[in-house]
Amino acid sequence: MMKKIMPDMLDELTELFIDTFNAPPWNDMWSTETARKRLRDIIRMPNFFGAAEYRDDRLAGLIMGHGEYSYDGMHFQILEFCVANDMKGQGIGGEMLKEFIDYLDRKGVTSVYLLTMRGAASEDFYASQGFDTVEDMCVMSRHKA
């Protein structure tokens, strides 16, 4: 069952986020404090929307992001999306993404985009869900030395 994300869900969302992204293939190093700040900041964004998936009263996944206006309408960027590690491979992610995008379509969103790791299972997953790798775009980054 999908449920709209509300600020009072932050502790539960933070725990799932850390468990997911500190594990392979990402192997991030989120602390409770940094993960909580990340999710809180996303929830506070203009045009935020997020949904949490529950299975047997347990948080199974989250998907969240924000919309921004462009010349051709509202574009929505998925900023975070994960499924509990022990629930992967059960079709939960595909169901969540479909329901989420159906909702965005009903709201008139013209484009949905996201960033993910190239070559990882996540790129294959998104391709199977109808997303295309954008060949003429690149992500650039600069880190403090």
Side-chain angles (χ1 to χ4, degrees):
M1 173 185 80
M2 280 187 82
K3 181 175 164 182
K4 182 178 177 182
I5 289 178
M6 303 301 285
D8 65 349
M9 300 164 72
L10 194 54
D11 289 339
E12 185 178 30
L13 299 171
T14 299
E15 186 176 325
L16 174 65
F17 185 85
I18 290 170
D19 288 348
T20 302
F21 290 109
N22 284 0
W26 297 276
N27 299 310
D28 292 340
M29 295 187 304
W30 292 98
S31 67
T32 299
E33 179 184 355
T34 58
R36 186 177 176 79
K37 284 179 181 178
R38 166 85 177 148
L39 298 178
R40 184 194 64 224
D41 286 353
I42 293 171
I43 291 169
R44 290 178 176 172
M45 287 179 155
N47 301 309
F48 164 79
F49 181 68
E53 175 70 22
Y54 288 86
R55 298 287 166 101
D56 299 322
D57 295 323
R58 179 176 164 228
L59 181 61
L62 67 86
I63 184 168
M64 61 171 60
H66 73 105
E68 52 192 9
Y69 288 96
S70 187
Y71 68 93
D72 62 346
M74 175 71 77
H75 293 199
F76 191 92
Q77 181 180 11
I78 296 173
L79 293 169
E80 298 298 350
F81 179 26
C82 63
V83 173
N85 292 327
D86 64 337
M87 295 184 172
K88 289 181 179 168
Q90 300 177 25
I92 294 171
E95 291 172 22
M96 285 178 64
L97 188 58
K98 182 183 181 330
E99 190 172 337
F100 194 80
I101 289 174
D102 287 349
Y103 172 85
L104 296 175
D105 287 346
R106 289 191 305 274
K107 292 295 182 184
V109 170
T110 58
S111 175
V112 178
Y113 66 101
L114 55 88
L115 303 173
T116 195
M117 289 173 51
R118 225 182 240 287
S122 56
E123 185 177 10
D124 292 339
F125 167 77
Y126 290 116
S128 76
Q129 300 298 312
F131 282 76
D132 297 312
T133 300
V134 180
E135 298 297 332
D136 62 344
M137 299 290 286
C138 71
V139 175
M140 298 181 71
S141 174
R142 181 180 183 275
H143 295 275
K144 185 176 180 179

